[in-house]
mmCIF file of all heavy atoms in Angstrom:
data_model
loop_
_atom_site.group_PDB
_atom_site.id
_atom_site.type_symbol
_atom_site.label_atom_id
_atom_site.label_comp_id
_atom_site.label_asym_id
_atom_site.label_seq_id
_atom_site.Cartn_x
_atom_site.Cartn_y
_atom_site.Cartn_z
ATOM 1 N N VAL A 1 5.117 -3.545 -10.370
ATOM 2 C CA VAL A 1 4.520 -5.013 -10.747
ATOM 3 C C VAL A 1 3.097 -4.747 -11.141
ATOM 4 O O VAL A 1 2.588 -5.357 -12.072
ATOM 5 C CB VAL A 1 4.560 -5.887 -9.465
ATOM 6 C CG1 VAL A 1 3.776 -7.150 -9.743
ATOM 7 C CG2 VAL A 1 6.031 -6.326 -9.313
ATOM 8 N N ALA A 2 2.303 -3.918 -10.348
ATOM 9 C CA ALA A 2 0.885 -3.642 -10.685
ATOM 10 C C ALA A 2 0.836 -2.990 -12.160
ATOM 11 O O ALA A 2 -0.124 -3.484 -12.824
ATOM 12 C CB ALA A 2 0.304 -2.726 -9.582
ATOM 13 N N VAL A 3 1.587 -2.120 -12.421
ATOM 14 C CA VAL A 3 1.512 -1.500 -13.778
ATOM 15 C C VAL A 3 1.921 -2.470 -14.826
ATOM 16 O O VAL A 3 1.107 -2.558 -15.812
ATOM 17 C CB VAL A 3 2.531 -0.265 -13.915
ATOM 18 C CG1 VAL A 3 2.644 0.255 -15.177
ATOM 19 C CG2 VAL A 3 1.981 0.858 -12.977
ATOM 20 N N LEU A 4 2.808 -3.363 -14.625
ATOM 21 C CA LEU A 4 3.213 -4.351 -15.639
ATOM 22 C C LEU A 4 2.106 -5.335 -15.768
ATOM 23 O O LEU A 4 2.008 -5.923 -16.900
ATOM 24 C CB LEU A 4 4.491 -5.123 -15.190
ATOM 25 C CG LEU A 4 5.753 -4.155 -15.379
ATOM 26 C CD1 LEU A 4 6.958 -4.947 -14.766
ATOM 27 C CD2 LEU A 4 6.059 -3.800 -16.792
ATOM 28 N N GLN A 5 1.320 -5.625 -14.810
ATOM 29 C CA GLN A 5 0.252 -6.574 -14.923
ATOM 30 C C GLN A 5 -0.891 -5.952 -15.552
ATOM 31 O O GLN A 5 -1.965 -6.781 -15.994
ATOM 32 C CB GLN A 5 -0.086 -7.170 -13.579
ATOM 33 C CG GLN A 5 1.016 -8.104 -13.066
ATOM 34 C CD GLN A 5 0.548 -8.775 -11.727
ATOM 35 O OE1 GLN A 5 -0.449 -8.507 -11.127
ATOM 36 N NE2 GLN A 5 1.579 -9.678 -11.313
ATOM 37 N N ARG A 6 -1.060 -4.719 -15.685
ATOM 38 C CA ARG A 6 -2.092 -3.983 -16.433
ATOM 39 C C ARG A 6 -3.483 -4.506 -16.091
ATOM 40 O O ARG A 6 -4.318 -4.988 -16.896
ATOM 41 C CB ARG A 6 -1.956 -4.155 -17.903
ATOM 42 C CG ARG A 6 -0.744 -3.518 -18.383
ATOM 43 C CD ARG A 6 -0.585 -3.786 -19.938
ATOM 44 N NE ARG A 6 0.752 -3.170 -20.465
ATOM 45 C CZ ARG A 6 1.146 -3.184 -21.529
ATOM 46 N NH1 ARG A 6 0.461 -3.806 -22.454
ATOM 47 N NH2 ARG A 6 2.252 -2.641 -21.865
ATOM 48 N N GLY A 7 -3.838 -4.347 -14.794
ATOM 49 C CA GLY A 7 -5.144 -4.808 -14.417
ATOM 50 C C GLY A 7 -5.582 -4.013 -13.214
ATOM 51 O O GLY A 7 -4.889 -3.288 -12.597
ATOM 52 N N VAL A 8 -6.929 -4.102 -12.983
ATOM 53 C CA VAL A 8 -7.473 -3.281 -11.933
ATOM 54 C C VAL A 8 -7.135 -3.994 -10.503
ATOM 55 O O VAL A 8 -6.914 -3.282 -9.570
ATOM 56 C CB VAL A 8 -9.002 -3.300 -12.069
ATOM 57 C CG1 VAL A 8 -9.829 -2.663 -10.737
ATOM 58 C CG2 VAL A 8 -9.405 -2.469 -13.244
ATOM 59 N N ARG A 9 -7.189 -5.363 -10.513
ATOM 60 C CA ARG A 9 -6.830 -6.044 -9.295
ATOM 61 C C ARG A 9 -5.477 -5.761 -8.779
ATOM 62 O O ARG A 9 -5.354 -5.536 -7.521
ATOM 63 C CB ARG A 9 -7.117 -7.510 -9.516
ATOM 64 C CG ARG A 9 -8.610 -7.847 -9.678
ATOM 65 C CD ARG A 9 -8.837 -9.282 -9.996
ATOM 66 N NE ARG A 9 -9.051 -9.988 -8.753
ATOM 67 C CZ ARG A 9 -9.278 -11.229 -8.691
ATOM 68 N NH1 ARG A 9 -9.005 -12.034 -9.676
ATOM 69 N NH2 ARG A 9 -9.536 -11.846 -7.585
ATOM 70 N N PRO A 10 -4.418 -5.827 -9.508
ATOM 71 C CA PRO A 10 -3.135 -5.497 -9.049
ATOM 72 C C PRO A 10 -3.011 -3.952 -8.477
ATOM 73 O O PRO A 10 -2.343 -3.757 -7.518
ATOM 74 C CB PRO A 10 -2.172 -5.589 -10.234
ATOM 75 C CG PRO A 10 -2.845 -6.478 -11.119
ATOM 76 C CD PRO A 10 -4.288 -6.235 -10.904
ATOM 77 N N LEU A 11 -3.673 -3.071 -9.176
ATOM 78 C CA LEU A 11 -3.746 -1.619 -8.656
ATOM 79 C C LEU A 11 -4.638 -1.589 -7.448
ATOM 80 O O LEU A 11 -4.136 -0.852 -6.486
ATOM 81 C CB LEU A 11 -4.240 -0.740 -9.804
ATOM 82 C CG LEU A 11 -3.308 -0.584 -10.964
ATOM 83 C CD1 LEU A 11 -4.020 0.287 -12.038
ATOM 84 C CD2 LEU A 11 -2.062 0.115 -10.575
ATOM 85 N N ALA A 12 -5.515 -2.334 -7.283
ATOM 86 C CA ALA A 12 -6.347 -2.321 -6.102
ATOM 87 C C ALA A 12 -5.566 -2.900 -4.883
ATOM 88 O O ALA A 12 -5.499 -2.379 -3.820
ATOM 89 C CB ALA A 12 -7.649 -3.069 -6.096
ATOM 90 N N ALA A 13 -4.795 -3.975 -5.153
ATOM 91 C CA ALA A 13 -3.941 -4.585 -4.110
ATOM 92 C C ALA A 13 -2.867 -3.560 -3.673
ATOM 93 O O ALA A 13 -2.575 -3.518 -2.528
ATOM 94 C CB ALA A 13 -3.331 -5.806 -4.705
ATOM 95 N N TRP A 14 -2.273 -2.902 -4.784
ATOM 96 C CA TRP A 14 -1.306 -1.938 -4.418
ATOM 97 C C TRP A 14 -1.787 -0.792 -3.547
ATOM 98 O O TRP A 14 -1.270 -0.257 -2.586
ATOM 99 C CB TRP A 14 -0.563 -1.336 -5.662
ATOM 100 C CG TRP A 14 0.527 -0.312 -5.370
ATOM 101 C CD1 TRP A 14 1.770 -0.578 -5.019
ATOM 102 C CD2 TRP A 14 0.335 1.051 -5.218
ATOM 103 N NE1 TRP A 14 2.469 0.609 -4.756
ATOM 104 C CE2 TRP A 14 1.469 1.651 -4.893
ATOM 105 C CE3 TRP A 14 -0.773 2.006 -5.438
ATOM 106 C CZ2 TRP A 14 1.711 3.073 -4.820
ATOM 107 C CZ3 TRP A 14 -0.587 3.253 -5.342
ATOM 108 C CH2 TRP A 14 0.649 3.846 -4.969
ATOM 109 N N THR A 15 -3.058 -0.299 -3.904
ATOM 110 C CA THR A 15 -3.626 0.687 -3.035
ATOM 111 C C THR A 15 -3.821 0.170 -1.659
ATOM 112 O O THR A 15 -3.659 1.019 -0.612
ATOM 113 C CB THR A 15 -5.056 1.145 -3.728
ATOM 114 O OG1 THR A 15 -4.755 1.574 -4.999
ATOM 115 C CG2 THR A 15 -5.691 2.259 -2.860
ATOM 116 N N SER A 16 -4.336 -0.941 -1.558
ATOM 117 C CA SER A 16 -4.482 -1.601 -0.110
ATOM 118 C C SER A 16 -3.295 -1.586 0.554
ATOM 119 O O SER A 16 -3.117 -1.205 1.773
ATOM 120 C CB SER A 16 -5.120 -2.971 -0.187
ATOM 121 O OG SER A 16 -6.281 -2.929 -0.833
ATOM 122 N N LEU A 17 -2.106 -1.989 -0.056
ATOM 123 C CA LEU A 17 -0.744 -1.959 0.484
ATOM 124 C C LEU A 17 -0.396 -0.609 1.035
ATOM 125 O O LEU A 17 0.192 -0.425 2.052
ATOM 126 C CB LEU A 17 0.250 -2.486 -0.364
ATOM 127 C CG LEU A 17 1.775 -2.546 0.125
ATOM 128 C CD1 LEU A 17 1.849 -3.434 1.252
ATOM 129 C CD2 LEU A 17 2.609 -2.941 -1.020
ATOM 130 N N ALA A 18 -0.613 0.336 0.170
ATOM 131 C CA ALA A 18 -0.338 1.805 0.476
ATOM 132 C C ALA A 18 -1.153 2.259 1.744
ATOM 133 O O ALA A 18 -0.450 2.879 2.641
ATOM 134 C CB ALA A 18 -0.557 2.718 -0.723
ATOM 135 N N VAL A 19 -2.307 1.958 1.867
ATOM 136 C CA VAL A 19 -3.035 2.309 2.994
ATOM 137 C C VAL A 19 -2.606 1.664 4.216
ATOM 138 O O VAL A 19 -2.453 2.268 5.211
ATOM 139 C CB VAL A 19 -4.662 1.982 2.767
ATOM 140 C CG1 VAL A 19 -5.422 2.172 4.033
ATOM 141 C CG2 VAL A 19 -5.240 2.898 1.561
ATOM 142 N N VAL A 20 -2.324 0.328 4.134
ATOM 143 C CA VAL A 20 -1.797 -0.354 5.333
ATOM 144 C C VAL A 20 -0.483 0.181 5.808
ATOM 145 O O VAL A 20 -0.287 0.496 7.023
ATOM 146 C CB VAL A 20 -1.717 -1.889 5.019
ATOM 147 C CG1 VAL A 20 -0.881 -2.608 6.090
ATOM 148 C CG2 VAL A 20 -3.043 -2.491 4.839
ATOM 149 N N LEU A 21 0.418 0.484 4.916
ATOM 150 C CA LEU A 21 1.719 0.934 5.274
ATOM 151 C C LEU A 21 1.638 2.430 5.854
ATOM 152 O O LEU A 21 2.340 2.805 6.722
ATOM 153 C CB LEU A 21 2.714 0.927 4.120
ATOM 154 C CG LEU A 21 3.124 -0.485 3.605
ATOM 155 C CD1 LEU A 21 4.039 -0.437 2.485
ATOM 156 C CD2 LEU A 21 3.688 -1.227 4.863
ATOM 157 N N HIS A 22 0.661 3.167 5.290
ATOM 158 C CA HIS A 22 0.525 4.548 5.724
ATOM 159 C C HIS A 22 0.001 4.562 7.326
ATOM 160 O O HIS A 22 0.504 5.251 8.051
ATOM 161 C CB HIS A 22 -0.571 5.253 4.869
ATOM 162 C CG HIS A 22 -0.883 6.622 5.427
ATOM 163 N ND1 HIS A 22 0.027 7.731 5.274
ATOM 164 C CD2 HIS A 22 -1.951 7.080 6.071
ATOM 165 C CE1 HIS A 22 -0.504 8.783 5.865
ATOM 166 N NE2 HIS A 22 -1.746 8.407 6.221
ATOM 167 N N VAL A 23 -0.927 3.638 7.462
ATOM 168 C CA VAL A 23 -1.513 3.459 8.882
ATOM 169 C C VAL A 23 -0.323 2.974 9.755
ATOM 170 O O VAL A 23 -0.172 3.453 10.859
ATOM 171 C CB VAL A 23 -2.692 2.662 8.857
ATOM 172 C CG1 VAL A 23 -3.183 2.205 10.260
ATOM 173 C CG2 VAL A 23 -3.881 3.317 8.152
ATOM 174 N N LYS A 24 0.357 2.046 9.379
ATOM 175 C CA LYS A 24 1.374 1.228 10.099
ATOM 176 C C LYS A 24 2.430 2.241 10.517
ATOM 177 O O LYS A 24 2.903 2.365 11.665
ATOM 178 C CB LYS A 24 1.962 0.138 9.366
ATOM 179 C CG LYS A 24 2.918 -0.801 10.198
ATOM 180 C CD LYS A 24 3.288 -1.897 9.401
ATOM 181 C CE LYS A 24 4.062 -2.984 10.087
ATOM 182 N NZ LYS A 24 5.292 -2.557 10.754
ATOM 183 N N ALA A 25 2.895 3.136 9.451
ATOM 184 C CA ALA A 25 3.941 4.119 9.748
ATOM 185 C C ALA A 25 3.451 5.203 10.709
ATOM 186 O O ALA A 25 4.206 5.533 11.452
ATOM 187 C CB ALA A 25 4.338 4.804 8.391
ATOM 188 N N GLY A 26 2.184 5.587 10.636
ATOM 189 C CA GLY A 26 1.645 6.446 11.606
ATOM 190 C C GLY A 26 1.730 6.070 13.010
ATOM 191 O O GLY A 26 2.074 6.788 13.948
ATOM 192 N N LYS A 27 1.273 4.779 13.152
ATOM 193 C CA LYS A 27 1.268 4.172 14.576
ATOM 194 C C LYS A 27 2.760 4.038 15.101
ATOM 195 O O LYS A 27 2.969 4.443 16.260
ATOM 196 C CB LYS A 27 0.624 2.867 14.521
ATOM 197 C CG LYS A 27 -0.935 2.938 14.344
ATOM 198 C CD LYS A 27 -1.565 1.584 14.378
ATOM 199 C CE LYS A 27 -3.078 1.743 14.148
ATOM 200 N NZ LYS A 27 -3.835 0.498 14.438
ATOM 201 N N GLU A 28 3.606 3.651 14.206
ATOM 202 C CA GLU A 28 5.105 3.537 14.661
ATOM 203 C C GLU A 28 5.641 4.854 14.955
ATOM 204 O O GLU A 28 6.337 5.086 16.014
ATOM 205 C CB GLU A 28 5.897 2.878 13.551
ATOM 206 C CG GLU A 28 5.617 1.580 13.223
ATOM 207 C CD GLU A 28 6.183 0.981 12.051
ATOM 208 O OE1 GLU A 28 6.839 1.764 11.143
ATOM 209 O OE2 GLU A 28 6.128 -0.363 11.830
ATOM 210 N N GLU A 29 5.278 5.949 14.159
ATOM 211 C CA GLU A 29 5.897 7.350 14.467
ATOM 212 C C GLU A 29 5.165 7.716 15.809
ATOM 213 O O GLU A 29 5.895 8.502 16.519
ATOM 214 C CB GLU A 29 5.425 8.148 13.331
ATOM 215 C CG GLU A 29 6.198 7.912 12.075
ATOM 216 C CD GLU A 29 5.973 8.858 10.935
ATOM 217 O OE1 GLU A 29 4.987 9.664 11.042
ATOM 218 O OE2 GLU A 29 6.614 8.630 9.941
ATOM 219 N N GLN A 30 4.008 7.485 16.095
ATOM 220 C CA GLN A 30 3.422 8.023 17.302
ATOM 221 C C GLN A 30 4.109 7.320 18.556
ATOM 222 O O GLN A 30 4.470 8.032 19.462
ATOM 223 C CB GLN A 30 1.951 7.509 17.419
ATOM 224 C CG GLN A 30 1.167 8.131 18.654
ATOM 225 C CD GLN A 30 1.250 9.591 18.735
ATOM 226 O OE1 GLN A 30 1.129 10.353 17.777
ATOM 227 N NE2 GLN A 30 1.474 10.125 19.946
ATOM 228 N N ALA A 31 4.481 6.051 18.464
ATOM 229 C CA ALA A 31 5.282 5.407 19.539
ATOM 230 C C ALA A 31 6.594 5.878 19.619
ATOM 231 O O ALA A 31 7.101 6.172 20.827
ATOM 232 C CB ALA A 31 5.288 3.833 19.161
ATOM 233 N N LEU A 32 7.253 6.315 18.470
ATOM 234 C CA LEU A 32 8.641 6.849 18.549
ATOM 235 C C LEU A 32 8.547 8.286 19.115
ATOM 236 O O LEU A 32 9.456 8.709 19.908
ATOM 237 C CB LEU A 32 9.141 6.948 17.237
ATOM 238 C CG LEU A 32 9.699 5.489 16.596
ATOM 239 C CD1 LEU A 32 9.884 5.739 15.081
ATOM 240 C CD2 LEU A 32 10.873 5.067 17.317
#
């Protein structure tokens, strides 16, 4: 979606999502 929208804001939003999911997965893995 970010690539199709061809803008900096969608790529920034995707980058934020990637960071949040990386941190969340790390916390979940620690608990497991």
